[in-house]
Amino acid sequence: MNLLSPLPNADIAERVHVLLARPGLRIARIVSHGQASPPGFWYDQAEGEWVLLLAGAARLRFADEPETRLLAPGDWVDIAPHHRHRVDWTDPTGPSVWLAVFYLTDSAAGASDRLMILPNLGG
Amino acid sequence: MNLLSPLPNADIAERVHVLLARPGLRIARIVSHGQASPPGFWYDQAEGEWVLLLAGAARLRFADEPETRLLAPGDWVDIAPHHRHRVDWTDPTGPSVWLAVFYLTDSAAGASDRLMILPNLGG
């Protein structure tokens, strides 16, 4: 299975493809083509997100930083839970491909495990 | 921070750089340059490993498959815990760059959480 080809057409909207889903862990490929977060919108996620740009170009903005970060292929960022951020810009001239690893942190992971285990107790 | 440049020199030995370490999760970049697993050696890992080849070329062999799998940039494989495998070959003509996500599965993750939580109980 290949992350870079074929790529889905993301002209109309970002395309998200979950590659792996485990308790407390999700790996996804996201393909953007010029999309950005809506004006004034900030992601405020309960999960941590380790994100790598594989192709294209993008600008990431953190609420507590005055400047956007320009990302090139190979650039990665670890976004802590509730670190407010937005995608300010993605290259409109071609696809930008992200690899995102969403993970639950310590206490949240414990909660997730309990949710996983409970349904099996009566089994 | 960029995964692809600069690259460490891996002529003598593979170079492993842990990018993120959390309970039950470890993300690492591995740079190979012609290395392969020793003859007869098989990885038999307690963790799951989701691995993506970012650059170069490699051949992965699973103990229960007759043929090696040739990996090109963008190719990824999810290796279940204890799925015996080896790196049969990496491109000797240049660096091969891997992104590896090591993760604990359900029961192992639960055990890890307990290990994380226990030292805090007296606090």
Side-chain angles (χ1 to χ4, degrees):
Chain A
M1 283 165 291
N2 194 285
L3 276 187
L4 300 172
S5 71
L7 287 180
N9 186 320
D11 289 358
I12 304 300
E14 281 191 336
R15 304 287 292 269
V16 180
H17 181 196
V18 176
L19 308 170
L20 185 86
R22 294 288 183 277
L25 176 67
R26 207 164 66 258
I27 302 179
R29 181 189 68 184
I30 303 163
V31 181
S32 312
H33 191 151
Q35 288 87 7
S37 305
F41 174 86
W42 295 94
Y43 288 100
D44 186 347
Q45 302 171 157
E47 296 171 306
E49 180 182 354
W50 185 93
V51 66
L52 165 67
L53 192 70
L54 292 167
R59 282 189 176 277
L60 207 57
R61 171 89 190 273
F62 289 91
D64 57 356
E65 294 181 2
E67 305 284 339
T68 61
R69 300 190 194 186
L70 177 61
L71 302 185
D75 285 338
W76 62 272
V77 183
D78 180 44
I79 305 173
H82 301 297
H83 192 185
R84 281 153 48 92
H85 63 283
R86 47 179 278 116
V87 177
D88 235 50
W89 174 87
T90 58
D91 186 354
T93 68
S96 293
V97 183
W98 312 77
L99 182 76
V101 179
F102 298 95
Y103 59 92
L104 289 177
T105 49
D106 309 4
S107 56
S112 166
D113 283 333
R114 282 192 291 278
L115 288 174
M116 285 297 298
I117 291 165
L118 277 176
N120 297 327
L121 286 179
Chain B
M1 282 165 292
N2 193 286
L3 276 188
L4 300 173
S5 70
L7 287 180
N9 186 319
D11 289 358
I12 304 301
E14 281 192 337
R15 303 288 292 269
V16 180
H17 182 196
V18 175
L19 309 169
L20 185 86
R22 294 288 184 276
L25 175 68
R26 205 166 67 258
I27 302 179
R29 179 188 69 183
I30 302 163
V31 181
S32 313
H33 191 151
Q35 288 87 9
S37 304
F41 174 86
W42 295 94
Y43 288 100
D44 186 346
Q45 302 171 158
E47 297 172 306
E49 179 182 357
W50 186 94
V51 66
L52 164 67
L53 192 70
L54 292 166
R59 283 189 176 276
L60 207 58
R61 170 90 191 273
F62 288 92
D64 57 355
E65 295 181 2
E67 305 283 340
T68 61
R69 300 191 194 184
L70 177 62
L71 302 184
D75 284 339
W76 62 272
V77 182
D78 180 45
I79 304 173
H82 300 297
H83 192 185
R84 281 152 50 91
H85 63 284
R86 46 179 279 117
V87 178
D88 235 49
W89 173 87
T90 58
D91 186 354
T93 69
S96 293
V97 183
W98 312 77
L99 182 76
V101 179
F102 298 95
Y103 58 91
L104 289 177
T105 50
D106 308 5
S107 55
S112 164
D113 282 333
R114 281 191 291 278
L115 288 175
M116 285 297 298
I117 290 165
L118 278 174
N120 297 327
L121 285 180

